[in-house]
Each structure stands twice: as structure tokens, then as C-alpha cells.
Amino acid sequence: MNAENRREIFTRLRAALPHPTTELEYTSPFELLISVILSAQATDVSVNKATRKLYPVANTPAQIYALGIDGLIPYIQTIGLYRTKAKNVIETCRMLVALHDGQVPRTREQLEALPGVGRKTANVVLNTAFGVPTIAVDTHIFRVSNRTGIAPGKDVDAVEQKLMKLVPAEFLLDAHHWLILHGRYTCIARKPLCWNCSIADLCDFKTKTPLPEKGI
């Protein structure tokens, strides 16, 4: 894909959604951090259902740490891998209180030192909470980047590096959200909705999905 088409793709995505953001519900960087930890291999919908009950009760590192693992589990047990996530969240809260005065750190190294926080989670927090132009490559972004030709790569790290290099600077801050939402609702995994896609004419995907016939 050439630079002109790539720029036009993001121009259209921006026109359709000028101020994109995560679908996770949060009111502070700490709430976002915990929600992203909980969202690994789970849907944003399931995480939001759990945190709507948790955060009114405990939404600071000290408060959630005080719950302990056994106290936290009832709030998050509807989320996949909840036992492991409970351990990670409680230890993360302990470290935030002990090492960071209860604040979410703003550097990748400090974030990735927290249990349950990998590069993708750190990128989400840095981008969404602190406005750092990072791109967290999840399954949606990986698929969209490869299928469209925006930034093809063999693994998530390769795709992230290409996106950071190839996405025009003016779009870099919000590219993460545009690509996730496009992959979640239009460029879906099994049968992309090419017939309803605003960038289909710019996309390198060869076997475009036609408009479904009525009644099918």
C-alpha cells in the first residue's frame, strides 16, 4: 500500500469518528489500568459489567488491595481467567501503593513491571490515559493491518513497528482506536463487511465480501 492510500484511509476513519476512545468504562488512569488487565482474553462488555459493581465499592489501589484476592474474586468471577487476574490485580495494587504512591506510572518500563501488564496493556494505558502516541496491537489491529495492507507483519511486534513508522503523525494518537473499532465492527474475522466499508476501495484485500442477497 502506498502512502497516499494509507493517509486517505485514516482521513476517512477520522471523518467517521473524530474522537475515538476505548469501549472500556473508566474514570481514572487506575480504573483504566485494572480494566485493561481484566480484559485480556475477555470482551470489553464482560469487563464493564464486572467493574460497574467493583468500582463503586473500590476504585483506588489501596481500596482494591484491602479486598484481597478472595474479596476481589466475587466481583470478577464472570470474566475469563479470573483467579489469575485477581492475583495480578492485587499484587499490582500493592506495588502501586508501595512503589508509586498509589499513582499509575507513566513510563513503559514501570508499567510493564506490574503483574499482568505486558506491552499491549502498557500501550493502551499510555495512549488512552496519558495521550502518548502508541499502538497496542491486539487481534483486531493485527488482522486489519494485514488484511488491508496498511502495515502487514508476521507478528504483533512487527505490525506495531510498521504502524508506528507508516501511520502519518497527525493520526498516530488515535490510530489505535480507529483500527480496533474497524476490526471489531466492520473488518471482522470470518466474513468482513466489505460491502459496508468506508475504505474498501483503498484496501488490498482481494476477495471482497459482496453485498448479501436479501433473505440470506
Side-chain angles (χ1 to χ4, degrees), residues 131-197:
V132 179
T134 61
I135 297 178
V137 180
D138 68 350
T139 55
H140 296 301
I141 293 182
F142 183 79
R143 178 176 65 255
V144 171
S145 297
N146 277 283
R147 182 184 277 166
T148 62
I150 291 173
K154 293 183 178 180
D155 54 46
V156 294
D157 290 336
V159 169
E160 179 186 341
Q161 290 173 15
K162 277 197 173 182
L163 285 169
M164 293 300 294
K165 178 182 178 181
L166 297 174
V167 174
E170 66 179 290
F171 303 110
L172 201 52
L173 180 61
D174 292 323
H176 164 84
H177 298 300
W178 286 320
L179 293 174
I180 282 181
L181 294 172
H182 191 68
R184 187 172 288 170
Y185 298 112
T186 302
C187 196
I188 56 180
R190 292 188 178 181
K191 202 169 186 180
L193 310 182
C194 303
W195 50 272
N196 194 38
C197 176

Side-chain angles (χ1 to χ4, degrees), residues 1-12:
M1 178 178 291
N2 60 44
E4 182 179 352
N5 282 0
R6 193 176 291 109
R7 175 173 290 277
E8 178 62 19
I9 283 175
F10 284 102
T11 298
R12 294 184 190 180

Side-chain angles (χ1 to χ4, degrees), residues 36-82:
V36 178
I37 292 174
L38 295 176
S39 72
Q41 299 182 48
T43 65
D44 289 357
V45 171
S46 67
V47 173
N48 289 337
K49 285 181 179 178
T51 58
R52 284 172 197 158
K53 297 177 180 179
L54 171 63
Y55 292 156
V57 175
N59 71 340
T60 68
Q63 289 172 345
I64 291 183
Y65 181 65
L67 291 176
I69 294 173
D70 291 339
L72 177 60
I73 283 177
Y75 292 100
I76 66 170
Q77 60 187 358
T78 56
I79 302 172
L81 305 175
Y82 69 90

